[in-house]
């Protein structure tokens, strides 16, 4: 089970590194700040944004709340913006819509659970193989 713990630890370190990277690399121009925009970063830990059809569908959902794509940071993160005045229309969005969501799909815990289950499965196969070959010696 130590392998699962190590994998979870590395996933947490990666997320912290991404957050620090976002703070330092994503500089907002004076023009963007002067125009009174809101910004957010939308993350997808499991499915990612490499599939263009999925990305287009997500951007269409976000556009209902006034969000537009600024840049695709990597396969798991996109940066969006909208005029600050768009928040006045948030009450008109369909029920259950969250204009400030920052995660699409399942969260990082699904990825961590998958890693833990995969490592546990490998350990179980190793134990089974040892049990099967032990009578031979």
């Amino acid at each position: 089970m130590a392998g699962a713990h190590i994998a979870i630890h590395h996933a947490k370190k990666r997320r912290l590194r991404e957050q620090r990277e976002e703070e330092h690399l994503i500089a907002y121009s004076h023009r963007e700040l002067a125009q009174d925009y809101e910004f957010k970063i939308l993350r997808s830990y499991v499915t990612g944004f490499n599939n263009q059809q999925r990305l287009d569908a997500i951007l269409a959902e976000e556009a209902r709340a006034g969000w537009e794509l600024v840049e695709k940071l990597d396969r798991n993160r996109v940066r969006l913006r909208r005029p600050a005045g768009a928040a006045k229309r948030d009450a008109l969005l369909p029920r259950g819509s969250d204009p400030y969501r920052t995660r699409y799909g399942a969260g990082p815990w699904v990825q961590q659970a998958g890693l833990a289950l995969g490592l546990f499965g490998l350990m179980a196969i190793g134990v089974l193989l040892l049990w099967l070959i032990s009578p031979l010696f």
Side-chain angles (χ1 to χ4, degrees):
M1 211 54 181
H5 179 70
I6 291 169
I8 290 170
H9 175 73
H10 284 294
K12 286 180 182 178
K13 282 180 69 173
R14 189 187 78 243
R15 277 196 312 280
L16 285 173
R17 186 179 66 246
E18 287 175 352
Q19 288 172 347
R20 282 190 298 257
E21 172 188 276
E22 290 164 4
E23 291 171 3
H24 294 305
L25 294 180
I26 300 175
Y28 298 103
S29 71
H30 292 293
R31 186 178 67 91
E32 287 174 323
L33 295 174
Q35 291 179 347
D36 202 23
Y37 280 109
E38 294 180 304
F39 293 90
K40 74 175 182 175
I41 294 176
L42 187 62
R43 294 171 178 82
S44 176
Y45 292 102
V46 178
T47 57
F49 298 118
N50 279 350
N51 181 314
Q52 190 60 45
Q53 287 178 316
R54 183 182 307 122
L55 179 60
D56 291 342
I58 294 165
L59 292 175
E61 282 180 41
E62 295 295 328
R64 285 187 290 211
W67 295 101
E68 62 182 15
L69 179 68
V70 175
E71 66 182 319
K72 183 176 173 184
L73 300 171
D74 56 31
R75 74 177 299 273
N76 295 326
R77 299 176 295 168
V78 293
R79 184 166 66 130
L80 306 170
R81 73 176 182 187
R82 74 175 182 169
K88 295 174 187 172
R89 295 186 303 273
D90 286 349
L92 302 174
L93 292 172
R95 185 177 205 153
S97 296
D98 179 7
Y100 292 103
R101 74 175 175 171
T102 58
R103 187 178 68 229
Y104 173 76
W109 62 271
V110 172
Q111 187 179 32
Q112 293 171 359
L115 284 170
L117 287 173
L119 290 171
F120 181 74
L122 287 174
M123 289 175 17
I125 290 171
V127 169
L128 179 64
L129 288 174
L130 286 173
W131 180 74
L132 288 173
I133 66 169
S134 63
L136 301 176
F137 295 104

